[in-house]
Amino acid sequence: QVQLVESGGGLVQAGVSLRLSCAVSGRIFRSYTMAWFRQAPGKEREFVAAISWSGDSTYYADSVKGRFTIARDNAKNPVYLQMDSLNTEDTAVYYCAAKLPGRSSRGNEYDYWGQGTQVTVSS
């Protein structure tokens, strides 16, 4: 069974950086596409970024492109989300998710989810 546990969230001021981590258990981790989603209060969950199993392919939501970077370390199994130039609109619960190989920004195509980590950006 695959389990995902996020960490690294917190309360920060606008303009600073934060790095989220997702620890993954389960032997199939290395073959899965990994992604980050987020859900702000009163809003639907939205796609943030995803990375292929090899790490060679990444893609981002337009709202975070150029500010956020997704990376993975298949040797140590975490997945990271480096978030730079944070602004108040980035405030949300951030979720790590995993799916079988293949590109997708649709949450309903992801098979495994973590519990989420809160990121709050103050002005």
Side-chain angles (χ1 to χ4, degrees):
Q1 184 175 356
V2 177
Q3 292 186 325
L4 287 67
V5 179
E6 303 93 338
S7 62
L11 171 63
V12 296
Q13 290 187 328
V16 303
S17 300
L18 201 61
R19 189 177 79 161
L20 304 182
S21 297
C22 174
V24 184
S25 62
R27 295 179 298 173
I28 55 178
F29 165 74
R30 295 182 180 181
S31 65
Y32 269 41
T33 292
M34 301 298 298
W36 288 92
F37 289 78
R38 67 186 182 185
Q39 187 166 20
K43 296 186 177 180
E44 295 186 351
R45 182 180 61 197
E46 65 173 354
F47 169 78
V48 175
I51 187 167
S52 63
W53 69 270
S54 65
D56 293 339
S57 178
T58 58
Y59 48 105
Y60 300 88
D62 288 342
S63 60
V64 306
K65 199 172 296 182
R67 299 189 299 122
F68 290 12
T69 303
I70 188 171
R72 68 190 296 168
D73 183 341
N74 284 342
K76 300 180 180 179
N77 87 23
V79 178
Y80 304 104
L81 184 68
Q82 176 69 38
M83 305 185 294
D84 298 323
S85 301
L86 285 163
N87 59 59
T88 56
E89 294 184 351
D90 296 317
T91 294
V93 177
Y94 284 72
Y95 298 92
C96 179
K99 65 178 293 295
L100 291 171
R103 175 171 175 152
S104 177
S105 61
R106 298 182 177 183
N108 60 8
E109 295 187 6
Y110 283 77
D111 303 301
Y112 301 99
W113 293 83
Q115 294 299 308
T117 185
Q118 176 71 48
V119 173
T120 304
V121 184
S122 64
S123 59

